[in-house]
Amino acid sequence: MMLLRFVYTILIQLSWYGLHVIALFNPKIKLFVSGRKKTFAELEVKLPKGSKSIWMHVASLGEFEQGLPILEQLKANYPHHKIVVTFFSPSGYEVKKNTPIADAVAYLPMDTLSNTARFVDTINPELAIFIKYEIWPNYLHRLQQRNIPTLLVSARFSKRQIYFKPLGGFMRKSLKAISHFFVQDETSKHLLESIHFKNTTVSGDTRFDRVSEILKQDNQLDFMSKFKGDAFCLVAGSTWPEGEEIIIQYINTTQHHIKFVIAPHQIKQGHIENIANSLTKKSICYSQLGEEDLSEYDVLIIDTIGLLTKIYSYATVAYVGGGFATGLHNTLEPAVFGIPVVIGPNFKGFKEAEDLVAQKGIIPVDNTKKFNDLMDGFISDPASAQKIGNINSGYINKNLGATGVVVEYITRLL
């Protein structure tokens, strides 16, 4: 196993060198590389020597939202501990690097033996929490050596993963560093038991607790109230070109009085211009808002980040992007408002989408005709749309409580 760890570490180091080359041509990888060069210096400034911390590692923005309810509880319960959050992806770090929930936010240094030793020495964690899929063998090995309790939260396992394959011995051994697994479903628990891990609790997914908090916040947006009025409103969130093409075709051809909001996942100027130029109805971008009478516009294009969750509260129906090619985005954020949710056809592997498609609260479509018929049906039969929406809000209410289970366990540890 020592040989496998050595080979793994060499591969990680080689990938780090390779990323430096790719960074010359790829802006996102450039952030990935340059951000990690600053990690230790920033942590040493933000964490006074000798301070104790609670460390949470997440892959990106979605996993951060998953971990946020736990962070909020821990910050309240353990005010003398520093909260450290690390990200793997720039798309998460760049959005949340200034979040007030943490005392320090950083990129996770590459998983080498030297980095893991220095990182653990620097942050001095009393507890480590990894969210969902984040398994880094050298970090876990280092935490195990230091006898630091380590949790994997909101995890979901499948037979396709390396842990359950004949050649997965090294990764299975890495799982032994996990003090306790909090998994989303019984299938994950049974899979772990099949490789002799009994330290599991089926706690559910903390994202349900997170989205339920959305209903308690102030979701009022003056520009949305002026834009929507009393009209039927479709909010298309985190969209990609495949879904945008279907939505834009409906916008341009429908005779119904509908307000449309399009919030693309990519907000680069060229992409926003392509959307605007494809529309035949009167449209305006969020960045152009001024003294215009928004009630006169049919389409509002959101070319900024951070507003989508509140915008969903104005939706009669929501479309969530990523279900055609890139990976489905968060369907729970609109579902919590008790509205129908429409997605693309590729939703396997997203448990909440699988569940709600089966319950008919989320409706997948794979072509323009199905989308058009579905939208026309919602408009002609609002009672049916409301019934579908109730399925979604009911599903979320039934799945609350994962955060409390995890925090109760942590209380016994610290």
Side-chain angles (χ1 to χ4, degrees):
M1 207 55 78
M2 288 293 292
L3 176 61
L4 288 175
R5 186 173 302 283
F6 175 76
V7 172
Y8 168 81
T9 303
I10 291 296
L11 291 173
I12 291 290
Q13 192 66 59
L14 289 173
S15 70
W16 178 236
Y17 296 143
L19 288 166
H20 279 74
V21 177
I22 299 171
L24 298 173
F25 312 98
N26 186 306
K28 186 173 182 179
I29 298 301
K30 184 178 181 180
L31 288 171
F32 183 100
V33 171
S34 62
R36 280 167 168 79
K37 291 179 179 179
K38 304 172 186 175
T39 290
F40 288 113
E42 291 179 351
L43 289 175
E44 286 163 3
V45 168
K46 294 176 180 177
L47 301 173
K49 210 154 193 169
S51 59
K52 292 285 187 182
S53 75
I54 297 172
W55 170 36
M56 178 177 286
H57 174 63
V58 300
S60 193
L61 190 58
E63 289 76 18
F64 174 81
E65 294 295 335
Q66 225 162 358
L68 186 56
I70 296 171
L71 288 176
E72 290 171 339
Q73 289 287 314
L74 294 180
K75 192 173 181 68
N77 294 353
Y78 302 97
H80 301 299
H81 285 69
K82 299 295 184 181
I83 302 295
V84 178
V85 175
T86 55
F87 284 88
F88 180 77
S89 166
S91 58
Y93 173 82
E94 294 300 327
V95 175
K96 292 297 179 180
K97 59 187 175 183
N98 296 316
T99 177
I101 196 66
D103 297 286
V105 181
Y107 282 102
L108 183 72
M110 298 294 283
D111 191 26
T112 64
L113 292 172
S114 59
N115 278 346
T116 59
R118 185 180 177 187
F119 181 83
V120 173
D121 285 343
T122 300
I123 71 168
N124 194 25
E126 282 199 336
L127 173 68
I129 305 170
F130 291 73
I131 301 296
K132 200 171 183 179
Y133 297 131
E134 288 297 278
I135 302 293
W136 294 102
N138 283 334
Y139 276 103
L140 290 173
H141 179 66
R142 190 69 61 187
L143 292 166
Q144 188 177 37
Q145 283 185 325
R146 305 283 181 91
N147 294 314
I148 297 168
T150 303
L151 311 180
L152 186 65
V153 172
S154 292
R156 193 175 182 214
F157 291 92
S158 74
K159 289 182 179 179
R160 299 187 301 273
Q161 292 170 308
I162 185 69
Y163 318 108
F164 311 105
K165 303 293 184 183
L167 296 177
F170 175 64
M171 294 301 293
R172 282 194 294 275
K173 184 176 176 62
S174 297
L175 294 180
K176 291 183 178 180
I178 304 291
S179 309
H180 203 84
F181 299 86
F182 292 92
V183 297
Q184 293 188 30
D185 52 30
E186 290 288 344
T187 298
S188 297
K189 181 180 180 181
H190 294 324
L191 283 168
L192 286 171
E193 289 174 346
S194 75
I195 54 173
H196 312 297
F197 288 96
K198 306 289 187 183
N199 51 332
T200 62
T201 299
V202 180
S203 57
D205 189 343
T206 50
R207 282 188 305 157
F208 290 100
D209 300 319
R210 170 61 183 148
V211 297
S212 72
E213 292 297 314
I214 293 172
L215 295 177
K216 302 173 186 177
Q217 70 184 19
D218 180 7
N219 292 301
Q220 179 74 20
L221 295 168
D222 288 343
F223 72 90
M224 278 300 302
S225 298
K226 293 172 183 176
F227 171 72
K228 179 192 172 183
D230 296 324
F232 184 104
C233 182
L234 168 67
V235 174
S238 303
T239 60
W240 289 82
E242 298 86 353
E244 289 162 2
E245 183 178 347
I246 291 173
I247 293 165
I248 289 170
Q249 187 169 345
Y250 183 75
I251 294 173
N252 289 341
T253 58
T254 185
Q255 300 301 308
H256 296 291
H257 175 55
I258 304 175
K259 295 287 186 169
F260 297 92
V261 179
I262 303 176
H265 180 74
Q266 297 281 2
I267 56 171
K268 293 178 181 177
Q269 184 176 351
H271 184 59
I272 296 297
E273 289 175 354
N274 286 339
I275 292 173
N277 292 335
S278 300
L279 294 164
T280 58
K281 300 278 178 74
K282 193 173 183 181
S283 65
I284 188 170
C285 292
Y286 175 81
S287 60
Q288 299 170 333
L289 297 186
E291 300 302 318
E292 296 87 356
D293 182 358
L294 287 177
S295 66
E296 295 181 356
Y297 289 85
D298 300 300
V299 187
L300 175 59
I301 303 169
I302 306 299
D303 54 352
T304 188
I305 59 174
L307 295 175
L308 182 57
T309 300
K310 291 187 176 185
I311 291 173
Y312 277 136
S313 71
Y314 289 85
T316 314
V317 176
Y319 168 88
V320 175
F324 281 90
T326 57
L328 187 63
H329 290 281
N330 193 335
T331 54
L332 293 179
E333 285 187 353
V336 75
F337 292 108
I339 57 174
V341 177
V342 184
I343 60 174
N346 301 324
F347 56 87
K348 297 299 182 185
F350 297 86
K351 184 178 184 300
E352 65 282 359
E354 292 176 352
D355 290 348
L356 284 171
V357 168
Q359 295 179 31
K360 302 189 185 312
I362 291 180
I363 303 98
V365 297
D366 57 7
N367 60 57
T368 301
K369 185 179 186 310
K370 286 183 180 178
F371 182 84
N372 294 357
D373 291 345
L374 188 63
M375 290 298 300
D376 290 344
F378 288 144
I379 294 165
S380 63
D381 189 358
S384 175
Q386 184 59 62
K387 184 177 179 181
I388 292 170
N390 290 342
I391 293 171
N392 291 332
S393 56
Y395 173 79
I396 290 171
N397 289 334
K398 288 177 183 176
N399 284 281
L400 299 175
T403 300
V405 174
V406 176
V407 171
E408 182 182 356
Y409 181 91
I410 293 171
T411 302
R412 299 198 296 268
L413 284 177
L414 299 182

